[in-house]
Amino acid sequence: MNSENRLLDWYRAVVDYYRRLTPRSAALFVRGGGVLPGGDTRYSITTRPHPTYFERGEGPYVWDVDGNRRLDLNNNSTALVHGHAHPEIVAALRAQAGSGTAWGGHNPTEVDWAGIICERVPSIERVRFANSGTEANMHMLKVARAYTGRDLVLKLDGAYHGTYDGFEFATEGDGGVSPSTGGVPANLSENVVLGAWGDTEGVARLIRERAGRLAAVILTPFRSAGGFSHPPEGFLETLRAVTADEGVLLLFDEVISLRLAMGGAQDRYGVTPDMTALGKLVGGGLPVGAFGGRADIMAVTDPLGDMKVALAGTFNANPMTAAAGVAALRLLTPEVYGWIDHLGGLLRAGLSGAVRDRGLPLRVEGGGSLLSVACEPGVVRPEVMMTGLSLALGNRGVFGFPFLSTSSAMEERHVEQMLDVAAAVLDDLASSMRVH
Ligand SMILES: Cc1ncc(COP(=O)(O)O)c(C=O)c1O
């Protein structure tokens, strides 16, 4: 039997076991398929043969509807930096819910929340709230356009900034720019310039060439699409210098990378952009987005001043998210950053070693509390290997592969649990790939 067939055999066995463990999830998926397209409302988390339906989370664990407990290393796509149902966040939410969940007026907690963000994130002198990272990036770009009076934006190929059509573009085969998803008008590509991650000279040249029409350059300073990694030496510094020279705004999407330091990747790398988008962890587990920057730039959103961009939102800075956000940020001290980074380091070292020892074609990357696993180029049936690994780890009680993050609810024994499970799963995979 050749190695591809053996891989498929391994995958089928993993899927069979998953089906046996998750009959209630399977039934929900069938019901869901009658009312949600493909039973789905968030394509990035769905999986074959059916997704897992969870009903409870506590600390570092989640329980699915079939009663299976899993160590959660997904943490809702990195957002739950304190794990599930942290008592202080729950208390803040209970107190707020008892006083009402939202009203068409300001609330005091939003001022505290904004104050914490402005104090921590170097580029943010003024901040505004939204309800998702997508919205934060969308508003940030509008503000950059209104402030500069220019339309073009330079983004990096493959970078994900949420599901806003201003950013949903990728490189065509001939080097042109085309929508990366349906529903995005092709003519919007006229406003988009694509650069490549780490191509310092190439991106600097594009900025200089388009400077007169370029409003902004946006990037995730810590690479997050396709695999987590630190930027190459000098990349951010050069982009900072060239954009400043050319009067182009530098925008950091720190929706994920606020995990790297109190002030985000900009704090960690010492490169301050003009504006920053946040999301995920700043909401303490509730839906959130936020963006901010220099006071003179953010002034274009000031409804009592010279407002150029009118930004509303029924649930912006709603008291529930604000309460959870304040509680989560207050819990996120330098010591806590140190702890989640320590656990992340143990996890990366352990997993890299496990992959290396077995000679598997997998790449383990990341930094701080973040870690990603991807197939090396040239792997036959990479989707089978990645889905199989995710299900196989889940079958043995670990959820979240291949984008993993640690949380303050975790202890070293949880990392050890993950590494024990990973060793068993990788042994199975390695033996399935050996040609007998
Ligand atoms: C870097 C980055 N920006 C923006 C977003 C979009 O955030 P949201 O899903 O809250 O719209 C994400 C989501 O994964 C992200 O990873």
Side-chain angles (χ1 to χ4, degrees):
M1 194 188 283
N2 70 23
S3 60
E4 183 176 350
N5 285 339
R6 289 183 63 83
L7 179 72
L8 289 170
D9 271 0
W10 166 79
Y11 177 73
R12 280 185 209 107
V14 167
V15 168
D16 281 351
Y17 193 73
Y18 176 72
R19 285 189 198 279
R20 286 202 295 281
L21 279 181
T22 57
R24 288 185 178 195
S25 280
L28 278 166
F29 185 56
V30 171
R31 268 181 57 206
V35 283
L36 299 154
D40 180 60
T41 199
R42 186 176 170 193
Y43 84 91
S44 52
I45 58 163
T46 200
T47 188
R48 289 181 194 283
H50 55 257
T52 312
Y53 290 71
F54 294 103
E55 62 183 3
R56 190 163 82 81
E58 191 182 321
Y61 293 109
V62 279
W63 284 261
D64 71 12
V65 290
D66 288 286
N68 302 300
R69 186 184 79 163
R70 295 195 179 83
L71 178 66
D72 186 6
L73 290 162
N74 174 274
N75 288 308
N76 195 21
S77 304
T78 76
L80 298 175
V81 70
H82 302 300
H84 299 272
H86 188 289
E88 286 179 39
I89 299 176
V90 172
L93 283 169
R94 283 223 168 90
Q96 186 57 55
S99 310
T101 57
W103 42 78
H106 293 263
N107 69 85
T109 320
E110 77 187 47
V111 181
D112 293 339
W113 196 21
I116 298 172
I117 291 172
C118 290
E119 194 180 301
R120 290 188 184 188
V121 183
S123 63
I124 300 186
E125 292 174 352
R126 301 284 186 276
V127 65
R128 287 187 79 100
F129 292 104
N131 295 289
S132 66
T134 296
E135 285 178 31
N137 280 314
M138 174 179 79
H139 294 326
M140 182 165 71
L141 179 58
K142 281 188 186 168
V143 168
R145 285 176 167 151
Y147 179 80
T148 58
R150 304 174 191 158
D151 288 338
L152 300 193
V153 60
L154 188 152
K155 76 173 284 270
L156 302 184
D157 200 9
Y160 179 69
H161 299 295
T163 49
Y164 163 52
D165 55 15
F167 293 124
E168 292 179 300
F169 291 91
T171 299
E172 272 175 1
D174 63 1
V177 178
S178 64
S180 52
T181 179
V184 176
N187 63 1
L188 288 187
S189 68
E190 289 162 20
N191 293 323
V192 180
V193 181
L194 286 178
W197 169 264
D199 177 13
T200 307
E201 281 315 305
V203 176
R205 192 171 53 246
L206 283 171
I207 296 169
R208 288 201 189 91
E209 280 169 8
R210 310 292 171 98
R213 298 181 56 213
L214 197 58
V217 172
I218 185 168
L219 73 159
T220 57
F222 175 78
R223 187 184 190 195
S224 45
F228 292 130
S229 62
H230 291 296
E233 192 85 23
F235 186 49
L236 300 180
E237 290 79 357
T238 302
L239 298 195
R240 176 65 287 181
V242 177
T243 48
D245 272 359
E246 302 290 350
V248 173
L249 297 185
L250 183 63
L251 316 182
F252 279 1
D253 173 351
E254 297 235 36
V255 166
I256 287 184
S257 57
L258 195 65
R259 265 186 169 262
L260 288 189
M262 296 281 278
Q266 57 197 268
D267 178 12
R268 166 126 182 201
Y269 305 136
V271 176
T272 306
D274 299 297
M275 298 179 76
T276 300
L278 303 173
K280 300 202 194 272
L281 74 81
V282 290
L286 268 66
V288 75
F291 73 100
R294 282 191 351 237
D296 63 316
I297 300 173
M298 291 300 287
V300 304
T301 69
D302 178 352
L304 302 179
D306 182 20
M307 184 174 79
K308 292 190 176 128
V309 185
L311 295 179
T314 304
F315 290 100
N316 287 358
N318 72 83
M320 290 293 280
T321 309
V326 166
L329 289 173
R330 286 198 176 132
L331 287 165
L332 200 52
T333 59
E335 293 69 37
V336 170
Y337 271 100
W339 179 245
I340 59 175
D341 285 6
H342 166 70
L343 296 176
L346 291 179
L347 199 53
R348 273 193 303 282
L351 220 46
S352 304
V355 163
R356 202 173 42 241
D357 290 350
R358 291 164 181 80
L360 288 166
L362 294 167
R363 200 171 55 230
V364 179
E365 295 175 299
S369 61
L370 299 161
L371 177 152
S372 63
V373 184
C375 280
E376 294 287 6
V379 167
V380 181
R381 310 294 298 265
E383 75 294 348
V384 169
M385 192 184 291
M386 294 302 282
T387 306
L389 282 172
S390 170
L391 292 174
L393 288 162
N395 288 347
R396 290 176 184 263
V398 174
F399 175 67
F401 184 87
F403 288 97
L404 310 173
S405 57
T406 56
S407 77
S408 67
M410 287 175 64
E411 297 168 19
E412 287 183 354
R413 68 191 164 95
H414 298 114
V415 172
E416 282 154 24
Q417 181 191 343
M418 162 60 176
L419 293 177
D420 287 347
V421 166
V425 167
L426 295 176
D427 276 345
D428 279 355
L429 174 66
S431 63
S432 86
M433 292 180 73
R434 237 167 266 136
V435 182
H436 291 266

